[in-house]
Amino acid sequence: MSFAFGIGIGTQNKKGDWLEVFYQQPVMAPGSVLMEVVSNTLGYQGGNQAIQAKAEQLSELASALRRAGETTQAILAEKASQSSRPVAVTILDTDDAASSTPEVYLKLHLISHRLAKPHSLKLDGIFGLLPNLAWTSEGAIDLEELPERQLQARIEGRTLEVKSVDKFPQMTDYVVPSGVRIADTARVRLGAYVGEGTTVMHEGFINFNAGTEGTSMIEGRISAGVMIGKGSDLGGGCSTMGTLSGGGNIIISVGENCLIGANAGIGIPLGDRCTVEAGLYITAGTKVALLDDHNELVEVIKARDLANKPDLLFRRNSQTGAVECKTNKSAIELNEELHANN
Ligand SMILES: CC(C)(COP(=O)(O)OP(=O)(O)OC[C@H]1O[C@@H](n2cnc3c(N)ncnc32)[C@H](O)[C@@H]1OP(=O)(O)O)[C@@H](O)C(=O)NCCC(=O)NCCS
């Protein structure tokens, strides 16, 4: 069985290089019938490949898919055959590192369509395959071609709005997964996994290969690679430490029913039902005073030793400045209150 498949409509620059691809209905683990039709009509002979298909090839593909009972993809191929933009039929036989822009886009789509979880796909080397682009009101534009397009738009009485200059587009221009609210769509990149029941407020951010498992209120930043468990909330402006820069290599995650307070931050993975006080940043090496139920010191340990442990409350003692950790008794209550208005 192949790994993934997608019929995508994309953008190329004047040199004919792919800039981006939109896959409306990517397929995870396509069946042998679908792959056989693609081999017969497009000459696909195995491996990972993005085939740029012409209108006639797509019509032929559509008819063959229909005969084979692959109706959804047949309709897509039919529609794509009328596209004025280039069409990529992308086949990933395996999850090996991508070797083209359409392949990377297919992988990012798989995550944002919730067909694959963050960390489950090989994303090595994707930065080199994602061109830095102007994302505009008229689609993706190669930066070298931007001044000309801006001038042309003015001449024709239009304004070309450049919404961002980045390697990743915003997720919602490609897919809006079910049951989510995203107040500022620019804050969620393609390749984010936004769980059913998640609200991302204006201050919230979700990077690629990162996201939420289910119901969450996100008012802080979810860095690349970070996954947030069901029922957990990120308070306004809080930070989860990523691994893309700064030497950190612990993959951060947050368990279920946690609360990271406003302006707080974590550099260790949290277990279930943990709370971090507003404003407190816990790094892996932070020395933490473990307190018992009577607020007596039990021992001083490093925060990394508390990684993934459940039911913890982290706070900075407002009188001594020491970072303290106690058993968390109010996590669920706090979350229920916050979720009441999701
Ligand atoms: C850490 C936090 C969870 C503690 O809240 P709580 O469990 O309700 O605790 P309380 O504020 O009732 O305090 C319990 C006791 O601990 C004390 N205490 C609380 N924080 C303390 C601190 N940092 N240092 C010393 N004592 C502290 C209180 O004074 C109180 O003492 P008392 O027993 O003598 O009355 C809360 O302060 C917090 O930071 N919540 C995050 C909220 C948030 O940011 N939400 C997101 C919004 S966008």
Side-chain angles (χ1 to χ4, degrees):
M1 192 180 276
S2 289
F3 184 72
F5 172 81
I7 299 174
I9 297 177
T11 310
Q12 291 178 336
N13 63 12
K14 284 191 173 160
K15 290 183 213 145
D17 304 323
W18 287 104
L19 300 184
E20 58 82 55
V21 183
F22 165 71
Y23 299 96
Q24 197 216 29
Q25 297 198 53
V27 181
M28 194 76 191
S32 52
V33 174
L34 177 56
M35 286 300 94
E36 213 177 292
V37 172
V38 174
S39 300
N40 293 342
T41 51
L42 300 181
Y44 166 68
Q45 291 179 341
N48 293 351
Q49 212 184 330
I51 300 168
Q52 189 174 336
K54 296 203 175 69
E56 319 83 75
Q57 288 177 302
L58 289 163
S59 299
E60 203 185 316
L61 176 67
S63 315
L65 285 170
R66 215 175 262 285
R67 283 196 299 275
E70 294 281 352
T71 317
T72 310
Q73 294 300 316
I75 293 169
L76 262 180
E78 229 156 63
K79 289 189 173 160
S81 73
Q82 289 146 32
S83 170
S84 56
R85 285 166 172 267
V87 175
V89 177
T90 306
I91 309 110
L92 297 182
D93 191 32
T94 63
D95 183 30
D96 285 349
S99 60
S100 69
T101 307
E103 289 174 39
V104 178
Y105 268 81
L106 182 53
K107 289 192 173 193
L108 297 176
H109 276 71
L110 292 175
I111 301 175
S112 289
H113 275 262
R114 301 188 189 132
L115 294 169
K117 285 273 172 73
H119 292 297
S120 71
L121 301 183
K122 259 200 205 101
L123 297 177
D124 318 24
I126 65 167
F127 283 99
L129 295 167
L130 290 173
N132 188 28
L133 301 173
W135 300 96
T136 78
S137 46
E138 296 181 9
I141 299 180
D142 188 310
L143 290 176
E144 277 183 20
E145 296 169 13
L146 182 64
E148 193 190 315
R149 291 281 297 271
Q150 284 169 317
L151 181 63
Q152 196 55 36
R154 292 280 174 153
I155 289 167
E156 290 166 14
R158 287 176 288 114
T159 308
L160 185 67
E161 188 198 349
V162 178
K163 293 188 260 184
S164 73
V165 178
D166 194 7
K167 282 176 172 278
F168 291 78
Q170 62 182 47
M171 180 190 76
T172 51
D173 284 353
Y174 293 78
V175 54
V176 178
S178 57
V180 304
R181 267 204 300 144
I182 302 173
D184 181 352
T185 50
R187 309 269 305 170
V188 180
R189 279 171 136 187
L190 181 65
Y193 184 106
V194 188
E196 177 102 31
T198 290
T199 294
V200 186
M201 292 303 285
H202 303 77
E203 200 51 28
F205 166 75
I206 310 183
N207 211 333
F208 73 97
N209 202 27
T212 56
E213 294 278 357
T215 305
S216 277
M217 173 63 79
I218 304 301
E219 301 190 68
R221 300 183 297 278
I222 306 180
S223 301
V226 176
M227 204 57 192
I228 309 294
K230 283 186 189 130
S232 289
D233 295 329
L234 301 197
C238 80
S239 144
T240 51
M241 217 184 259
T243 51
L244 294 180
S245 60
N249 55 9
I250 311 176
I251 293 174
I252 304 300
S253 57
V254 173
E256 298 186 359
N257 298 310
C258 292
L259 170 67
I260 305 181
N263 279 357
I266 52 163
I268 59 162
L270 291 185
D272 295 340
R273 299 173 301 278
C274 290
T275 299
V276 181
E277 182 187 37
L280 169 61
Y281 209 117
I282 315 164
T283 61
T286 300
K287 301 262 189 349
V288 180
L290 271 185
L291 304 184
D292 64 16
D293 280 355
H294 307 287
N295 286 339
E296 296 296 331
L297 179 68
V298 179
E299 61 174 324
V300 174
I301 57 172
K302 288 187 181 156
R304 63 167 60 87
D305 299 326
L306 294 167
N308 294 310
K309 299 244 160 61
D311 301 296
L312 302 178
L313 166 69
F314 293 90
R315 69 178 194 192
R316 185 180 296 279
N317 188 301
S318 56
Q319 292 187 295
T320 66
V323 177
E324 298 173 338
C325 179
K326 302 176 52 160
T327 302
N328 191 17
K329 292 182 173 156
S330 56
I332 306 288
E333 198 186 313
L334 279 164
N335 277 295
E336 273 173 6
E337 206 175 299
L338 278 171
H339 288 162
N341 298 312
N342 255 17

